[in-house]
Amino acid sequence: MPIPGAPDPARIEDLLTSAYGTAVRIDRIDHITPWFVLRARLSGDGVPASVIVKWLRNTPGDTRTDSGQLYTEQAALEFLAEIDAELAPRLVAADIPASDPGRGFLVIEDLEPGEPLRAVLLRVGADATRPRLTSYARALARLHGSTIGHAESYAGHRHALGLGESPRSGLLTRWPSGVRCIRDIGVPMSHVTAGELAGVIAEFSYPGAFLAFSNGDAQHNNYLVDPAGNGRMIDFEGALFQHAMIDLCHLYVPGSMWLTVQDPTSNGLEEAYRKELAPTVPEVTDDVRFGRAIAGAAFLGILERVSALDRLDARAAGDRSRLHRIATLEAAAETAATHHCLPHLAGWARAAAERLRRRWPDADVDLAALGPYASR
């Protein structure tokens, strides 16, 4: 059955025939739901069994309607292939018509039988998934360590495709709305707390040794891991250079899909990341600098997530988004306490979480009772 908006199979076959230099036939196409991604099963001399095809959504209001996202992923995968072919799937070919880039698509190496780390966590739980979580932490460190110092090279790939400068992390532009929303529920930020936040923003605006390449969304669903525990990051349509801790903080603070995570300082994930990155970035071994950076990333993340709390007020009691906001505030505060830093931001976050628990009695839940990696 045709998939609405998907590239014509004949067009994919023509592109693959040109890319591989031999006749390629598509035997079957599977839609990897709910994403706008296809798995094309192939036949032909010397071609892989399958490839992945990504295209843009064509529904107004969707987040993947900007052709710049396809170009960004193309630039990112070309850049990473020059650095280390094992960091990400290989870009096989791209077809993005200049006259109509919205009809463009990318063909990418298929990492089957890899599956998203999130799916593994949901299926077997955090304890059984520990080796794969460790693999994820190390993969982030390899991605960061391999790309530090190569921002100009990535910029060159972007410029070659007509893209502008790599954007800044959205966390550095969206934090004021989070501060306002917490103030509006009755927890204003004191001058000393605002001073701590200003220091965090300055550090993340100029990451120095920690300026590294990111896919822009390094959550567990964008790490494909195979049964042996080997994995690679995917989904580079938002790729940019930013402070490495913005990626790592998903191990400390629940991302958009979780209510809880595990403590990476007690399960070895923090140690695995730091050990892997240390040969390239010795600064990661400095407990004070590292702790402040990872806690700072956590606070920037929650300031984005607590924006527009008024919308959650309008939702029905029991909506998990309410509990999620409380969970992120408390996790960020705990991260700071564990690393003995940013005490005023931690106190502010705890006060905000407590205020929200009173505001939303349905979300006044014991998070510890949920266990690690409770799904949102």
Side-chain angles (χ1 to χ4, degrees):
M1 177 182 297
I3 300 168
D8 179 26
R11 188 175 159 207
I12 300 172
E13 286 181 337
D14 288 344
L15 184 64
L16 289 173
T17 294
S18 176
Y20 289 119
T22 187
V24 177
R25 184 177 71 250
I26 295 177
D27 296 325
R28 190 175 87 240
I29 288 182
D30 300 321
H31 186 192
I32 305 176
T33 56
W35 300 281
F36 284 64
V37 175
L38 306 176
R39 171 173 283 119
R41 304 289 183 183
L42 310 178
S43 60
D45 293 336
V47 302
S50 61
V51 292
I52 295 297
V53 179
K54 293 184 67 173
W55 75 98
L56 289 173
R57 293 174 180 168
N58 51 17
T59 303
D62 274 344
T63 58
R64 290 187 59 238
T65 58
D66 178 7
S67 59
Q69 292 175 304
L70 280 182
Y71 284 122
T72 294
E73 183 142 21
Q74 180 180 352
L77 295 180
E78 290 174 346
F79 162 68
L80 291 175
E82 292 182 351
I83 301 292
D84 182 344
E86 296 303 314
L87 292 173
R90 183 175 66 90
L91 177 68
V92 176
D95 184 355
I96 310 176
S99 59
D100 189 6
R103 293 182 60 245
F105 66 94
L106 303 177
V107 180
I108 301 170
E109 175 188 6
D110 189 359
L111 300 181
E112 193 179 36
E115 63 177 324
L117 178 58
R118 175 177 181 265
V120 181
L121 282 162
L122 290 173
R123 187 174 68 251
V124 302
D127 289 339
T129 313
R130 181 74 57 78
R132 291 171 175 80
L133 283 164
T134 303
S135 166
Y136 168 73
R138 288 174 176 153
L140 282 178
R142 287 194 296 273
L143 177 65
H144 295 156
S146 298
T147 57
I148 283 173
H150 294 283
E152 290 187 6
S153 177
Y154 175 55
H157 283 278
R158 290 180 59 86
H159 293 156
L161 295 173
L163 296 171
E165 297 295 327
S166 180
R168 300 176 75 206
S169 169
L171 298 186
L172 293 172
T173 60
R174 294 192 286 266
W175 61 266
S177 61
V179 173
R180 286 194 298 271
C181 283
I182 296 300
R183 178 200 64 199
D184 291 346
I185 65 167
V187 186
M189 185 173 279
S190 69
H191 289 300
V192 67
T193 305
E196 281 189 350
L197 177 59
V200 169
I201 293 167
E203 181 175 350
F204 278 74
S205 297
Y206 302 96
F210 289 102
L211 180 64
F213 189 68
S214 167
N215 71 343
D217 185 14
Q219 298 193 58
H220 300 74
N221 58 307
N222 284 331
Y223 181 66
L224 294 191
V225 60
D226 65 22
N230 304 309
R232 281 185 271 180
M233 298 300 302
I234 61 168
D235 197 4
F236 286 83
E237 56 199 34
L240 75 166
F241 269 79
Q242 63 181 5
H243 199 297
M245 295 303 106
I246 293 176
D247 284 349
L248 191 65
C249 77
H250 295 302
L251 290 173
Y252 298 77
V253 177
S256 58
M257 298 180 177
W258 305 112
L259 290 174
T260 58
V261 290
Q262 278 185 322
D263 176 12
T265 64
S266 63
N267 64 12
L269 300 186
E270 179 182 293
E271 180 183 7
Y273 175 88
R274 296 175 71 180
K275 184 176 180 180
E276 187 77 28
L277 186 61
T280 306
V281 186
E283 289 85 349
V284 79
T285 64
D286 182 331
D287 289 343
V288 173
R289 184 167 181 179
F290 174 84
R292 178 183 170 84
I294 194 61
F299 286 118
L300 288 178
I302 65 165
L303 284 171
E304 180 180 45
R305 291 171 189 159
V306 298
S307 299
L309 290 175
D310 55 329
R311 290 205 300 264
L312 301 188
D313 280 333
R315 295 185 181 179
D319 185 281
R320 284 291 187 115
S321 294
R322 293 180 172 184
L323 183 55
H324 177 259
R325 299 313 190 271
I326 292 169
T328 57
L329 284 161
E330 293 179 348
E334 185 62 29
T335 300
T338 299
H339 292 89
H340 310 291
C341 65
L342 304 176
H344 299 285
L345 277 168
W348 174 81
R350 290 193 190 280
E354 181 59 31
R355 180 61 60 93
L356 289 175
R357 284 180 178 275
R358 296 198 301 271
R359 188 183 185 95
W360 301 324
D362 55 293
D364 189 13
V365 171
D366 180 6
L367 290 163
L370 298 180
Y373 288 102
S375 177
R376 178 176 167 188

